[in-house]
Amino acid sequence: MDPLTALGAALAAAHFGTPLAYYAAARRWLKTPWHIKPDPTYAPTATVAIPTYNEARNIEEKLEDIYRQDYPRDRLEIIVVDSASTDGTAEKARRWATAHPDADVKVVEEPQRRGKASALNAALDTARGEVFVITDADCRWPQKDALRRAVSWLADPAVGAVTCLKKPAADGPAGVEAGYRDRYNILRLAESKKWATPIFHGELAAYKTELLRKVGGFPLDIGADDSHTAAKIAAMGYRAIAAEDLWCVEAVPHNGYHKWRIRRAQHLLQHLLKTPAAEAPPPMRPILLAEKYLHLANPWLLLAVVAAVKNLRDKGLVWEMQEK
Ligand code: GDD
Ligand code: MN
């Protein structure tokens, strides 16, 4: 075998082999115990923050969704932070709040759009909850006890942040998304069992408010603000986990599915680039190194393989080999 063919083969083996090897390691981690004691009776005060930009279609159903939770109502505060929506989202939220006087709903209206993280920080500034929960307007919590489940994991002093697993809504390009999600959920769970997962979900992420304030709230310069804050909390030595009993349904857009995937991937890259493995607690380092490698380096290997093959083909080597 000539050196270029050998190099191409080695790169291809690394490109396809590393994710499989990581998945195999993850399946082993999955079999280990949590070393965390969730307490289902734990019910601290909680703030649920919903950032909205043009969510008139979703906001009422989202508020209903939270209202249906079996969490003690007097311990639950809901803050909608709307960033100058032009479709009447804030009015709808205010009307809903007036019609439900038994729910503690605040509607904050920002004069201009400064992004999701900035809106979440505005909610964090006034939040009265010991636990701060974020959720996107376009997702659903199918479990009536989602909040209680999320919070039960935070009862353990070792845990700083909790997120959900995800199921795509059962329409649109959801079939594709579902296939991808199974594997993805297994990885998130396995990483969580080992120590912490560096990937959190805006559909439901719950943080200890005190820790969130310590890491300075949500970063304004990183798209995956939910993941980045969780990783910062993990860097302080806390577990940041996806809980095995907590599911959210995410809205998969009908239009612009690929653009949406690319935008989310870009957000994740920004976050992983700015999360140094060396600063993480030792059990989290292999997780971060693997995720960084898989997201930041591995995709380029395939390009290198293609370049190597093209080079061979230009030299006529590939065709010669096929003829033999
Ligand atoms: N207040 C405010 N201001 N809210 C905003 C703004 C803004 O400028 N931009 C977006 N939002 C709100 C949306 O209305 C929605 O409720 C939530 O933030 C998420 O926005 P989406 O547009 O639905 O984001 P996504 O589905 O592509 O990505 C979500 O999931 C990712 C992965 O879990 C976001 O939560 C990402 O931050 C997250 O990383
Ligand atoms: Mn969304």
Side-chain angles (χ1 to χ4, degrees):
M1 206 191 275
D2 77 286
L4 253 183
T5 314
L7 179 67
L11 289 176
H15 177 79
F16 295 106
T18 320
L20 290 176
Y22 187 55
Y23 194 66
R27 298 220 66 125
R28 283 196 302 277
W29 296 343
L30 211 53
K31 290 192 194 117
T32 58
W34 279 100
H35 301 295
I36 293 172
K37 254 196 170 4
D39 176 0
T41 66
Y42 182 56
T45 51
T47 297
V48 178
I50 316 167
T52 58
Y53 180 71
N54 286 350
E55 299 283 3
R57 259 177 318 137
N58 293 314
I59 188 63
E60 285 158 325
E61 215 186 306
K62 179 78 231 182
L63 286 165
E64 286 294 334
D65 210 29
I66 301 171
Y67 188 64
R68 271 195 298 268
Q69 289 290 312
D70 62 4
Y71 208 76
R73 214 154 266 165
D74 58 331
R75 318 202 113 236
L76 184 61
E77 171 190 42
I78 302 174
I79 308 183
V80 177
V81 185
D82 185 73
S83 299
S85 289
T86 53
D87 67 349
T89 305
E91 288 92 288
K92 272 201 167 169
R94 265 192 273 112
R95 237 180 291 134
W96 191 95
T98 312
H100 298 79
D102 55 335
D104 176 4
V105 183
K106 287 155 189 133
V107 181
V108 178
E109 288 186 65
E110 296 194 308
Q112 52 182 319
R113 187 175 185 191
R114 290 197 204 92
K116 177 193 162 197
S118 164
L120 290 177
N121 285 335
L124 183 60
D125 281 346
T126 63
R128 69 172 171 93
E130 291 161 75
V131 170
F132 191 82
V133 184
I134 64 172
T135 185
D136 295 340
D138 62 353
C139 70
R140 295 291 163 261
W141 295 352
Q143 295 166 312
K144 255 183 61 179
D145 54 354
L147 261 182
R148 272 201 301 126
R149 287 179 191 226
V151 156
S152 73
W153 294 86
L154 292 173
D156 192 312
V159 182
V162 175
T163 193
C164 58
L165 300 171
K166 291 214 278 195
K167 283 183 193 158
D171 57 355
V176 187
E177 195 63 20
Y180 154 79
R181 278 292 163 209
D182 288 344
R183 221 153 231 262
Y184 186 91
N185 283 329
I186 287 177
L187 287 177
R188 298 295 79 79
L189 260 185
E191 293 168 341
S192 303
K193 278 196 154 183
K194 177 147 177 62
W195 186 261
T197 179
I199 301 176
F200 260 52
H201 302 132
E203 284 79 5
L204 196 173
Y207 309 83
K208 285 185 176 158
T209 309
E210 186 199 344
L211 297 179
L212 204 48
R213 291 196 170 124
K214 259 193 199 152
V215 300
F218 296 87
L220 302 178
D221 56 340
I222 292 170
D225 42 66
D226 31 36
S227 299
H228 203 64
T229 38
K232 279 191 166 169
I233 287 175
M236 287 167 68
Y238 294 91
R239 307 277 297 268
I241 59 167
E244 63 193 356
D245 57 354
L246 194 57
W247 291 91
C248 290
V249 176
E250 72 176 328
V252 179
H254 287 256
N255 301 320
Y257 172 71
H258 291 288
K259 255 200 191 154
W260 173 77
R261 281 294 300 274
I262 291 169
R263 180 160 55 93
R264 285 188 162 199
Q266 283 170 339
H267 287 173
L268 206 53
L269 296 187
Q270 290 174 343
H271 152 56
L272 289 171
L273 267 171
K274 293 200 177 165
T275 307
E279 286 173 19
M284 198 185 173
R285 281 180 209 157
I287 296 169
L288 269 176
L289 287 174
E291 289 296 351
K292 275 167 172 281
Y293 171 82
L294 291 174
H295 285 90
L296 301 171
N298 205 43
W300 299 104
L301 286 193
L302 195 62
L303 278 185
V305 173
V306 172
V309 170
K310 187 174 175 303
N311 196 311
L312 289 177
R313 186 193 292 168
D314 290 348
K315 289 186 187 153
L317 283 171
V318 168
W319 314 125
E320 250 173 56
M321 282 183 336
Q322 279 176 352
E323 276 156 26
K324 272 180 206 163

